[in-house]
Amino acid sequence: MKSNELRIGNFVLYNTYHDYIGAKNIKDKVINIESISNNGVNLEISNYSHCPENYWIPFENITPVTLTEEWLIKLGFELWTTLKTYSIYTIELDNRYTLTLYVYSNKTNIYLFENFGCEDDDADSIKLGEYENYYVHQLQNIYFSLNNKELVLV
C-alpha cells in the first residue's frame, strides 16, 4: 500500500507477525490507521499489544481490506435489492444524494444519485468508478470526499 491512497481512520489488515513489538495477536486483524508518514503508518493497536505508540509499521506490512457484503452492512449501507447477477447497496449522504454500489461477482460499480424518490427511473446519476477489486479504505475515502464525514462502523 502507498501513503497517497490512505487516510487517518482507514481500516487495513496488519499482515506481519512481529513478536518483538508484542503484536503477535494482531496479525490479520483489521485495524484503524492513527497516523501516516512517508515511512509507514501508526495503527490503533493499543487494544491488541504492548507496542509503543510511536512504532511505525512499513506500508509493505499492511494490506487493504476487501470490500464484502458484510463490510458494507457494517459501514451502514443497506441492501436495496438483489438481482440475478448483482446486488445494490445504498447509503444516503444527505437529503439530496445517495451513494449506490452495484456489486457483481467480478466488479463493483459506484454511482452517486441525486434523490428524487425511489420510484423515479430518470434520477440523475454520476458513475464514480468501476473496480475489479474494491477495498474498504477506498470506499471510506470516496464517502469522505463526497460527504466530508467519516464512514464509521454501525
Side-chain angles (χ1 to χ4, degrees):
M1 297 188 77
K2 299 175 186 162
S3 63
N4 65 352
E5 62 183 280
L6 297 171
R7 290 181 46 259
I8 293 171
N10 282 157
F11 294 109
V12 294
L13 281 169
Y14 180 72
N15 63 13
T16 303
Y17 174 82
H18 284 295
D19 189 40
Y20 63 89
I21 63 166
K24 61 185 177 186
N25 59 338
I26 66 166
K27 182 177 179 343
D28 298 324
K29 292 213 187 284
V30 175
I31 304 174
N32 284 38
I33 292 176
E34 277 191 347
S35 54
I36 303 169
S37 78
N38 290 333
N39 301 319
V41 296
N42 193 318
L43 300 177
E44 191 177 275
I45 60 176
S46 57
N47 294 334
Y48 300 102
S49 74
H50 304 292
C51 181
E53 288 183 29
N54 61 351
Y55 181 78
W56 292 94
I57 297 168
F59 293 110
E60 60 266 14
N61 292 349
I62 59 172
T63 54
V65 178
T66 301
L67 189 63
T68 62
E69 177 182 4
E70 179 184 357
W71 269 102
L72 286 168
I73 299 303
K74 282 182 183 181
L75 293 169
F77 280 77
E78 295 181 11
L79 176 61
W80 192 64
T81 189
T82 298
L83 303 171
K84 191 172 186 175
T85 58
Y86 62 93
S87 297
I88 301 173
Y89 292 87
T90 64
I91 190 167
E92 195 169 289
L93 298 178
D94 55 29
N95 290 332
R96 189 167 174 203
Y97 296 102
T98 299
L99 187 61
T100 303
L101 280 69
Y102 289 71
V103 180
Y104 298 81
S105 62
N106 62 343
K107 66 180 177 180
T108 301
N109 292 335
I110 302 175
Y111 291 88
L112 181 65
F113 281 93
E114 191 164 10
N115 295 336
F116 292 114
C118 294
E119 293 79 31
D120 189 349
D121 292 334
D122 296 325
D124 287 338
S125 68
I126 299 170
K127 186 173 185 179
L128 300 176
E130 181 175 306
Y131 304 90
E132 287 183 19
N133 298 306
Y134 200 61
Y135 301 106
V136 170
H137 76 278
Q138 293 170 318
L139 183 60
Q140 287 178 290
N141 294 348
I142 285 177
Y143 183 86
F144 183 82
S145 68
L146 294 170
N147 206 25
N148 206 29
K149 294 180 183 174
E150 296 295 339
L151 191 56
V152 296
L153 297 174
V154 292

